[in-house]
Amino acid sequence: MWCLELLVPLLLIVRDASCQWNVWLPRDISAMTNSCVVIPCTFMYPPSVRPYRGTHGIWYFGQPYPQLFPPVVFKSRTDVVHESYKGRTKLLGDLTQRNCTLLISNVGSEHSGRYYFRADLGGANMYTFPDFAELKVLDQPNIDVPEEIVSDENLELTCYAPDNCPDMNPEIEWLYTDYLPDPEFSTEYLEESNSAVLSNTLTFTPRPMHNGQLLGCRVTYPNTTLAYERLISLDIKYGPRSVWVNVSSEVMEGSSVSLHCEVDSNPAPRISWLFGDKELLWDTASNLSLSLEDLTPAEEGIYTCVGDNGFGIMNTSLYLAVKYPPREPVVNESMTVLEGTSLSLHCSTQGSPAPTLTWLKDGELVGTITADELSVLELKDINPQADGLYRCLAENEHGRASSSLNITVEYAPVLLDESKCTVVREGVQCVCIATGNPEPIIEFYLPDLNVTINETDNRYNYYTHTDGQTSTAMIKLREKGERSENNGPAVNVHCSFYNAYGRESILLELQQEKKYLMAVIVGTIGGVAVIAFIIAAVRYVGHNNKKENGSPRQDVILENPALYYSAVKKDKHSLRKKVLKTELLGSKFNSILEETTGEDSDFQPVGPTGAMERQELNYAALDFVRGRSRGEGAPGRSDDGSTYTEIRTK
């Protein structure tokens, strides 16, 4: 316990003594290469210490412990120093006055480091001060640059040159300032902790255009060749000032395209591609490309590139047009309408560029051509002619497409002009033709008999045929078709036709009587001409035979009159057939009649031709037994020598 009591006063004495060993020197000091530097230094030692054989001092480099043998910079007792300091160091202070200031000349980068002072008062009174001065040997001046330089904000750049060499005073100038807007310069001398620095401050307002520009600071020492420079590149922070993208373009459906975006900003922005409000791609870079494959019309629209770097935001858009041929038009469903109504036909499609829409009816243009994606065809007061196939044709420079619909118009039946009754060989043929939708039903009514004909019986032949919306009905009557006593028609036939929208009954007129009679007359005349031709041929043949036999001219005597009659009778039957053929050629028959009439028809012929057919051909036997030659006064021979016989009728 007593030991502790003795130790405490001892520690207090030691502490008091250590507090009296002090040194003052700059913690940091700098010098330019090949210049000099003065390290100010003062020290103190306890008053109780008496220097023994003078006051001496030692400067060490790197560390303060002699036992580690640090390099000796300066030693007052001897000239023995480290070789790197030979001839370079000098003590400027008076150690007896406790001034330990040191001059180092022609400093180099190898001299940068910590310097320690050791007081040597003789005997055991030697003390190495722990404090140090750290020397920095510079090969270029320092420029104080702010951590962040922002465009359009005031900027101060300061260049520093150490001024710690008494015989050399630095001068500072700025380089490459000609392009700066209104630069300002200011010089200041700073002294702190026994270290002096000369500064020169450049003030200006940077712009984005100054980013990357060089600025320089030059330090010179008058009356020397020493000059030092430092260059810096301005790093100006600014928001995006331009965003470049492709120009708006047109591409075909199914193709590929690459959209490029470049942003001018510092630092590099976050670039993002947007389609509408949807973000498609992003990256932190100065440029970004968006690739689109197998394009569809749904991808047509506005694409926006956005650049944002924290100092500003900017965007630019482009329009991407996807071209494609027209799609199949959408039209109304096929429909059935009633005559007299109105309706609107709609046709809509899509295409790029916008297609032209054309309405066609049965291949013919109807309405107007519309350069739009919608066309409406108005049909007012529809009539039967509006019935048909309607097609909407969509066209643009890349293709065409179409869609069709059928319009069916329903209407009451209408009688056609071809409806009539005509005289034919077998009697009278009546045809009734009506059109309507639904197709009309046709009936014949014979008011004289109070009979409605709609099927075949023994008295008349009924035929009907339907072709689309047209119905045809025909009957054949055995009547002769002659005029009645009151000059009325020989036949009285009514045609009745009807469907769901109406019914009508029309009296059919008898036509083509004159043409039929003319055919009979022409046929009769033709028959007579044929008979005359046969007689002339017989006489010609007989005359030639007589010439060939060399017979004298005399009256002809027929040896066998029966043979001649037989020939005439045979020609009579041939003549009858030719007359009938001529009559038939003179008559006009309906195609339906040709199909329904056979060779063995049981119809009886009517009209004047029938009477003509019932007549028999009259003939007579000729007796030439008493024939003789005609002489003078005799009637049997002509002047030219031919023989003839007179035939007289009774």
Side-chain angles (χ1 to χ4, degrees):
M1 191 67 179
W2 62 270
C3 293
L4 292 176
E5 293 176 356
L6 294 175
L7 183 59
V8 171
L10 181 61
L11 292 174
L12 293 175
I13 293 172
V14 173
R15 178 179 179 277
D16 181 67
S18 65
C19 289
Q20 294 183 15
W21 289 93
N22 289 316
V23 69
W24 288 270
L25 70 169
R27 185 62 178 262
D28 296 295
I29 194 170
S30 58
M32 302 304 297
T33 303
N34 299 324
S35 69
C36 67
V37 62
V38 173
I39 302 176
C41 176
T42 59
F43 67 97
M44 292 185 65
Y45 53 86
S48 59
V49 176
R50 294 290 183 264
Y52 177 71
R53 294 182 181 180
T55 303
H56 297 278
I58 303 174
W59 280 93
Y60 291 118
F61 176 76
Q63 51 188 337
Y65 307 110
Q67 61 272 24
L68 297 178
F69 304 104
V72 177
V73 176
F74 175 82
K75 189 174 184 179
S76 62
R77 287 185 180 273
T78 64
D79 293 335
V80 178
V81 296
H82 191 272
E83 61 180 6
S84 63
Y85 290 98
K86 286 182 179 181
R88 296 177 184 242
T89 59
K90 180 181 179 180
L91 189 65
L92 298 181
D94 185 357
L95 293 179
T96 61
Q97 298 297 321
R98 303 178 184 182
N99 187 339
C100 53
T101 301
L102 177 69
L103 170 65
I104 305 175
S105 300
N106 194 22
V107 294
S109 58
E110 69 275 12
H111 300 137
S112 295
R114 293 179 179 182
Y115 288 82
Y116 296 89
F117 178 71
R118 180 179 175 84
D120 182 5
L121 302 180
N125 297 318
M126 300 180 68
Y127 186 81
T128 301
F129 295 97
D131 293 335
F132 60 88
E134 185 167 1
L135 174 63
K136 295 180 180 179
V137 180
L138 309 175
D139 58 359
Q140 58 182 3
N142 287 326
I143 298 178
D144 186 9
V145 181
E147 182 177 351
E148 187 174 86
I149 303 176
V150 181
S151 175
D152 301 319
E153 294 183 6
N154 192 57
L155 172 64
E156 291 184 353
L157 300 177
T158 302
C159 180
Y160 297 93
D163 189 9
N164 295 309
C165 183
D167 298 332
M168 301 173 65
N169 296 319
E171 291 182 355
I172 301 175
E173 64 175 330
W174 285 95
L175 306 175
Y176 312 118
T177 59
D178 295 342
Y179 62 86
L180 298 180
D182 303 322
E184 296 179 0
F185 306 95
S186 62
T187 301
E188 186 177 3
Y189 184 81
L190 303 175
E191 188 173 355
E192 184 179 355
S193 302
N194 296 322
S195 177
V197 176
L198 179 68
S199 68
N200 189 298
T201 300
L202 168 64
T203 303
F204 69 99
T205 301
R207 300 285 187 264
M209 62 179 294
H210 300 138
N211 183 54
Q213 296 289 341
L214 293 178
L215 279 179
C217 173
R218 178 193 291 265
V219 175
T220 59
Y221 289 92
N223 302 321
T224 68
T225 59
L226 300 178
Y228 309 91
E229 290 183 1
R230 182 180 179 185
L231 298 178
I232 62 171
S233 177
L234 294 178
D235 184 15
I236 310 297
K237 308 297 183 184
Y238 58 93
R241 62 174 182 169
S242 67
V243 178
W244 178 90
V245 297
N246 309 62
V247 296
S248 296
S249 58
E250 298 178 354
V251 295
M252 280 301 298
E253 179 183 21
S255 62
S256 301
V257 69
S258 184
L259 306 182
H260 302 283
C261 178
E262 294 183 7
V263 180
D264 179 11
S265 69
N266 186 34
R270 181 187 187 274
I271 300 179
S272 58
W273 273 106
L274 304 178
F275 180 56
D277 296 330
K278 182 181 179 181
E279 186 176 70
L280 304 179
L281 182 67
W282 74 271
D283 191 13
T284 300
S286 60
N287 60 80
L288 183 65
S289 296
L290 174 65
S291 296
L292 302 174
E293 307 290 337
D294 194 18
L295 285 165
T296 65
E299 294 174 282
E300 176 174 336
I302 298 175
Y303 289 80
T304 303
C305 177
V306 181
D308 184 1
N309 68 348
F311 294 94
I313 185 171
M314 180 178 286
N315 67 78
T316 300
S317 299
L318 64 89
Y319 190 87
L320 181 64
V322 180
K323 301 300 180 181
Y324 58 97
R327 298 294 188 248
E328 182 179 354
V330 178
V331 298
N332 307 62
E333 296 289 338
S334 295
M335 64 186 75
T336 300
V337 298
L338 185 62
E339 179 183 16
T341 59
S342 300
L343 59 86
S344 300
L345 301 183
H346 294 78
C347 176
S348 62
T349 186
Q350 291 181 337
S352 181
T356 58
L357 297 179
T358 304
W359 279 103
L360 303 172
K361 177 185 179 294
D362 298 328
E364 299 293 332
L365 176 67
V366 292
T368 58
I369 299 176
T370 305
D372 199 352
E373 292 187 348
L374 174 65
S375 176
V376 179
L377 177 63
E378 299 288 347
L379 300 178
K380 303 292 185 180
D381 193 20
I382 291 177
N383 55 35
Q385 286 69 38
D387 189 288
L389 178 67
Y390 289 78
R391 184 164 70 103
C392 177
L393 176 62
E395 296 178 289
N396 67 11
E397 60 191 75
H398 303 297
R400 60 169 55 187
S402 65
S403 294
S404 302
L405 71 149
N406 278 301
I407 299 296
T408 302
V409 181
E410 293 190 342
Y411 55 97
V414 177
L415 186 69
L416 300 185
D417 294 339
E418 290 81 356
S419 301
K420 58 191 174 182
C421 290
T422 57
V423 177
V424 295
R425 185 183 65 179
E426 294 82 358
V428 175
Q429 174 181 288
C430 294
V431 178
C432 184
I433 306 175
T435 181
N437 192 16
E439 62 274 8
I441 299 174
I442 300 177
E443 297 177 344
F444 291 99
Y445 175 64
L446 305 179
D448 295 341
L449 303 177
N450 194 22
V451 174
T452 298
I453 302 173
N454 53 21
E455 61 183 8
T456 303
D457 61 17
N458 294 330
R459 177 171 175 76
Y460 31 73
N461 191 10
Y462 176 83
Y463 173 82
T464 183
H465 173 71
T466 300
D467 183 10
Q469 299 176 1
T470 301
S471 295
T472 302
M474 181 186 71
I475 61 171
K476 295 177 183 177
L477 305 177
R478 302 187 188 92
E479 306 296 335
K480 296 182 180 181
E482 299 175 349
R483 295 285 177 174
S484 61
E485 296 179 355
N486 57 359
N487 202 30
V491 293
N492 188 6
V493 179
H494 290 256
C495 174
S496 177
F497 47 93
Y498 61 92
N499 64 8
Y501 301 105
R503 183 184 187 104
E504 284 192 54
S505 182
I506 302 294
L507 174 63
L508 297 179
E509 295 290 337
L510 182 64
Q511 300 180 10
Q512 296 184 352
E513 293 175 285
K514 293 182 179 180
K515 293 182 180 180
Y516 184 78
L517 292 177
M518 182 61 67
V520 173
I521 295 172
V522 172
T524 304
I525 294 174
V528 173
V530 170
I531 294 174
F533 175 78
I534 293 173
I535 295 173
V538 170
R539 292 191 63 190
Y540 177 76
V541 171
H543 180 69
N544 287 342
N545 288 336
K546 184 177 69 172
K547 286 184 178 181
E548 291 177 359
N549 295 329
S551 300
R553 294 183 180 179
Q554 57 183 2
D555 293 339
V556 178
I557 300 175
L558 297 180
E559 298 289 341
N560 193 354
L563 178 61
Y564 182 75
Y565 161 75
S566 176
V568 174
K569 186 175 183 180
K570 180 178 179 181
D571 290 338
K572 174 256 183 184
H573 288 290
S574 176
L575 177 61
R576 181 176 182 273
K577 289 183 179 181
K578 290 183 178 181
V579 170
L580 289 178
K581 181 176 181 182
T582 304
E583 177 185 346
L584 292 175
L585 291 175
S587 302
K588 294 183 180 179
F589 286 88
N590 188 285
S591 61
I592 299 175
L593 176 61
E594 296 287 349
E595 295 175 359
T596 56
T597 304
E599 289 293 333
D600 299 328
S601 174
D602 57 351
F603 293 148
Q604 297 298 324
V606 295
T609 58
M612 182 178 179
E613 288 186 5
R614 287 191 296 267
Q615 295 176 359
E616 294 293 337
L617 180 63
N618 295 321
Y619 65 92
L622 303 180
D623 186 1
F624 295 98
V625 174
R626 294 182 182 180
R628 63 183 180 273
S629 300
R630 182 177 181 181
E632 288 187 20
R637 180 179 295 270
S638 64
D639 294 337
D640 59 359
S642 62
T643 302
Y644 67 93
T645 301
E646 290 184 0
I647 299 175
R648 296 180 181 181
T649 59
K650 295 179 179 181

